[in-house]
Amino acid sequence: MTGATGAILGIKILKALQKLGVESHLIMSKWAEATLKYETDYKPIDVRSLADVAYSIKEQSAPISSGSFHHDGMIVVPCSMKTLSGIRMGYCDDLITRAADVTLKERRKLVLVARETPLSDIHLENMLGLTRSGAIIFPPVPAWYTRPEKLDEVEDQSVGRMLDMFHLDTGDFERWQGFDWKKKG
């Protein structure tokens, strides 16, 4: 988790992985911790307890910093533009960027939940470069066809779609079924 807005998405990912029985490893940047306090009632210790393993951002010798550590992929959620650009440039100055760099070099799935708007040409070029390197850029864009009544529904749909990238089905959101012409008249 980085300092971009959308901390609740990271929390909901951890909860969904718990529910699915999938092992999770968490790294939180110092700005993720600050954003967490600002956007939610969670404390960093509460979020760390949702993961099977939690690391310090500075713990460069953690198992996940090596290609020999087996995993199915990595989600950076939310992903700040600072972190995204660090990953793109291979500037591994913390455990998040190092683990992401290793994920790319090992050709494993890397999903970056980019939180920024509007986007500059620098942001777009960084995203394009990462996409060409195998990453998936996943802006958490609402699906309005679900006609969400609460923000919680929008969050659950985004989290479900993120985990779809790993063939994990939360069962917590409505999927597109085509137009219901009778309903729309």
Side-chain angles (χ1 to χ4, degrees):
M1 292 176 69
T2 72
T5 188
I8 193 66
L9 296 174
I11 293 164
K12 285 190 169 201
I13 285 280
L14 289 167
K15 287 181 173 184
L17 291 172
Q18 259 187 351
K19 181 179 163 187
L20 293 168
V22 176
E23 183 177 309
S24 62
H25 293 246
L26 173 67
I27 315 159
M28 289 178 64
S29 72
K30 73 174 184 175
W31 288 110
E33 291 183 14
T35 303
L36 180 74
K37 292 174 191 173
Y38 189 77
E39 292 182 349
T40 75
D41 293 328
Y42 286 86
K43 293 178 176 55
I45 194 167
D46 300 326
V47 176
R48 284 188 189 92
S49 73
L50 296 173
D52 294 291
V53 182
Y55 303 98
S56 160
I57 188 76
K58 296 177 183 180
E59 197 173 339
Q60 292 272 30
S61 66
I64 61 173
S65 71
S66 171
S68 67
F69 179 79
H70 289 286
H71 63 90
D72 295 326
M74 178 176 178
I75 303 176
V76 181
V77 55
C79 185
S80 68
M81 288 299 126
K82 176 184 178 242
T83 300
L84 190 140
S85 67
I87 295 167
R88 182 188 179 202
M89 293 295 126
Y91 185 64
C92 303
D93 69 333
D94 63 31
L95 187 55
I96 294 174
T97 52
R98 172 62 186 165
D101 186 63
V102 168
T103 299
L104 284 175
K105 84 174 182 69
E106 296 294 325
R107 305 296 192 260
R108 295 186 180 123
K109 193 161 289 194
L110 176 63
V111 176
L112 304 174
V113 182
R115 286 288 304 117
E116 189 65 61
T117 189
L119 298 168
S120 73
D121 61 335
I122 295 168
H123 299 147
L124 293 168
E125 287 175 11
N126 284 338
M127 290 181 198
L128 180 59
L130 281 163
T131 298
R132 288 180 175 154
S133 295
I136 296 169
I137 307 300
F138 191 109
V141 177
W144 299 116
Y145 62 81
T146 64
R147 294 186 171 207
E149 294 179 16
K150 298 180 278 185
L151 189 55
D152 198 47
E153 295 171 74
V154 174
E155 296 161 354
D156 290 345
Q157 198 271 345
S158 283
V159 165
R161 291 289 292 129
M162 287 173 216
L163 291 177
D164 277 353
M165 302 290 99
F166 296 90
H167 307 288
L168 297 170
D169 187 356
T170 63
D172 290 341
F173 69 98
E174 180 183 337
R175 294 182 181 276
W176 175 249
Q177 300 295 319
F179 283 117
D180 182 352
W181 296 106
K182 295 175 189 167
K183 186 175 181 180
K184 302 298 176 204

